[in-house]
Amino acid sequence: MAQRTYPGHILTGNTATTKRKVKDEVVRQLTRERGPDQDAESWLLMFQGEYQPEYWIVLLVKKNATLKAIDKALRDIWLECCSHLPAFTICGEDYQSSPDMDFGGKGMNASLGNLFSVGLTGEYIYDYGDSTYLTFKVLDLVPFSPKGRTSVEIVARNDPPDIRCSVCGEPATEICLECLYEVSENAFFCDDCFEKHECDEEMSLPVVNSPRMGQCAYTG
């Protein structure tokens, strides 16, 4: 069986790529547009949905930035809906936004320079109730800096998956949550078919390019 490629784009130059090729393509594009900087060091990180690998992003993060900076970027790009609690798990240790210091809890102000190495993998969770699970991998340490004054820049992202209306086959725009909890493959609708759908129209969320699609109150 052929392995899926999960298409996406390099955002710095709007260049088409795939998940398997993205590391080399990002470095090539950054070299072309910015040129290597001998005084810059940044981690190239890939995050993906743990159970939805078709959703992925690549971040360029300053070497000594913090986990808190990555957490904020993930929320802004993919996850934030109701200010839920997140956590990273790295080498068996949890790093939380609100750690219990009395029990040795670790916070997200930890510097990446002390934690990360090329090839390192870890996990991230957003929301301990209706949870979204991500995994990540440190792809490389590269001689570039995030654009502007930020410490984190998204440099590549998956293209939106082709999700079709379960009635007519047109591109889906709405998810019926009542149907999603029962039979997920019949929960997606285009605007026209959703207007005719019998379930409560308030029990719906939009189709968005995120592994948190259809969860809690996430609208993208």
Side-chain angles (χ1 to χ4, degrees):
M1 181 181 295
Q3 184 178 0
R4 294 189 178 186
T5 58
Y6 300 129
H9 274 74
I10 311 298
L11 302 184
T12 54
N14 196 31
T15 305
T17 187
T18 66
K19 187 177 177 182
R20 281 184 287 174
K21 297 178 180 179
V22 68
K23 173 188 167 182
D24 292 340
E25 294 290 345
V26 164
V27 172
R28 184 178 297 112
Q29 192 67 32
L30 289 175
T31 300
R32 181 182 299 122
E33 291 198 354
R34 303 179 190 179
D37 181 350
Q38 63 179 3
D39 297 322
E41 285 187 300
S42 297
W43 302 107
L44 205 59
L45 311 177
M46 174 179 282
F47 282 82
Q48 66 176 24
E50 182 171 2
Y51 307 109
Q52 301 153 295
E54 66 272 26
Y55 295 101
W56 57 266
I57 55 174
V58 177
L59 302 178
L60 184 69
V61 185
K62 286 186 177 179
K63 182 179 180 180
N64 292 314
T66 63
L67 290 174
K68 186 176 181 179
I70 298 177
D71 170 58
K72 182 181 184 304
L74 292 173
R75 289 166 174 265
D76 291 346
I77 298 164
W78 254 5
L79 303 169
E80 187 63 84
C81 63
C82 303
S83 299
H84 297 292
L85 295 176
F88 290 89
T89 301
I90 301 170
C91 297
E93 297 280 355
D94 290 338
Y95 297 81
Q96 302 173 327
S97 59
S98 300
D100 190 336
M101 297 302 184
D102 293 336
F103 291 90
K106 296 179 182 292
M108 290 190 180
N109 286 322
S111 170
L112 306 184
N114 298 323
L115 284 176
F116 282 4
S117 59
V118 177
L120 176 77
T121 60
E123 295 84 39
Y124 173 92
I125 180 175
Y126 176 77
D127 185 0
Y128 285 91
D130 196 357
S131 303
T132 298
Y133 298 94
L134 308 179
T135 61
F136 72 88
K137 182 176 183 178
V138 181
L139 300 179
D140 209 345
L141 184 64
V142 295
F144 306 101
S145 292
K147 192 173 183 180
R149 297 183 179 181
T150 63
S151 57
V152 181
E153 178 186 2
I154 177 172
V155 291
R157 184 176 188 174
N158 70 284
D159 292 338
D162 185 17
I163 300 174
R164 297 284 168 166
C165 175
S166 57
V167 177
C168 71
E170 290 296 310
T173 56
E174 297 286 336
I175 311 166
C176 173
L177 300 183
E178 291 186 43
C179 295
L180 183 67
Y181 299 146
E182 296 177 1
V183 186
S184 60
E185 61 267 24
N186 295 326
F188 296 91
F189 300 88
C190 66
D191 288 342
D192 289 341
C193 291
F194 187 70
E195 287 184 3
K196 304 170 186 176
H197 189 53
E198 296 180 353
C199 292
D200 185 351
E201 64 179 15
E202 294 185 0
M203 288 292 292
S204 67
L205 286 171
V207 173
V208 292
N209 188 14
S210 164
R212 194 158 176 77
M213 179 179 68
Q215 290 184 281
C216 193
Y218 187 72
T219 58

